[in-house]
Amino acid sequence: CDSISVNFESELAEVVLDAGVRQGFDLTRVGEVGLEHGFLTCLNFLTPQWDLSYLWLIQNCVLPPLPSLKRCYDFGQMVGQAIRSWDSSRRVAILGTGGLSHAVGTPDMGKVDEQFDKRFLDLLCRQDPAMLDITDVEMEAIGNGTHEIRNWIAVAGAVEGAKGEVVMYEEAMVVGFGMMQFQL
């Protein structure tokens, strides 16, 4: 990442921060944070020239207490509303990263639940409220990394009402790997 020059979108960041605080979300700036694989891998393929501006929002998908899936959806709604209220003619794409079913650093590492992944992607594409009924216990039984679906749910909230489509799904290495898109 040292050779990549990343231009962060600070104006939009302030719009999202202000909207979030006004709507009761506990948001903060984290200052200089190194970019991680979920962000870098996706953007390397989407914008190989790194010639766009980026706003990186980090949501807790790892350490308890974890936000409920409903709270993640609500967070996404707030982000989507803030983007739409931004006084700019710039186009904005929203990218949610993270694996589907997978386990990290446990004896279950390498176990993927394709049935869960495909059911979740179907619920997400249809914006079916049942996606919010998936429990932490269910995710943990599938694999501790499965909690990353919170990011996907936040994107669904940001584009509330948009129907999605699965672009691809496969079991790649030790994770259920998928891509989908919403079109507004």
Side-chain angles (χ1 to χ4, degrees):
C1 178
D2 294 337
S3 63
I4 298 171
S5 175
V6 178
N7 179 27
F8 287 100
E9 184 51 64
S10 59
E11 184 183 317
L12 179 56
E14 291 303 316
V15 170
V16 172
L17 182 62
D18 181 63
V21 169
R22 281 187 289 107
Q23 291 184 38
F25 288 92
D26 297 323
L27 305 179
T28 189
R29 293 175 188 87
V30 292
E32 294 294 321
V33 174
L35 300 178
E36 53 85 49
H37 71 280
F39 189 84
L40 290 171
T41 303
C42 296
L43 289 178
N44 185 55
F45 289 104
L46 293 172
T47 62
Q49 301 304 313
W50 291 87
D51 54 353
L52 300 175
S53 297
Y54 307 96
L55 172 58
W56 190 23
L57 303 175
I58 304 169
Q59 178 176 240
N60 179 20
C61 298
V62 178
L63 298 172
L66 294 167
S68 70
L69 297 184
K70 172 74 169 98
R71 185 68 170 163
C72 295
Y73 189 85
D74 293 346
F75 175 71
Q77 285 180 309
M78 179 278 298
V79 170
Q81 291 164 1
I83 291 169
R84 288 185 289 278
S85 75
W86 184 33
D87 188 21
S88 175
S89 61
R90 299 194 53 198
R91 295 179 62 197
V92 176
I94 302 171
L95 178 68
T97 65
L100 296 168
S101 65
H102 68 291
V104 178
T106 72
D108 286 335
M109 199 158 139
K111 178 180 125 185
V112 171
D113 188 332
E114 184 175 338
Q115 182 179 355
F116 170 84
D117 292 345
K118 289 185 175 179
R119 177 175 63 94
F120 174 70
L121 289 171
D122 177 62
L123 293 170
L124 198 63
C125 284
R126 292 185 291 116
Q127 292 259 357
D128 188 320
M131 69 182 158
L132 305 179
D133 295 334
I134 299 168
T135 68
D136 285 348
V137 170
E138 181 180 1
M139 284 183 270
E140 195 66 33
I142 293 166
N144 60 353
T146 308
H147 292 284
E148 293 173 355
I149 67 170
R150 285 171 163 77
N151 293 328
W152 298 59
I153 287 173
V155 171
V159 297
E160 184 180 25
K163 298 300 180 204
E165 69 174 314
V166 174
V167 175
M168 61 79 61
Y169 174 83
E170 64 182 65
E171 182 180 329
M173 296 183 285
V174 295
V175 64
F177 181 76
M179 284 189 256
M180 61 155 308
Q181 65 182 2
F182 289 105
Q183 294 288 330
L184 291 177

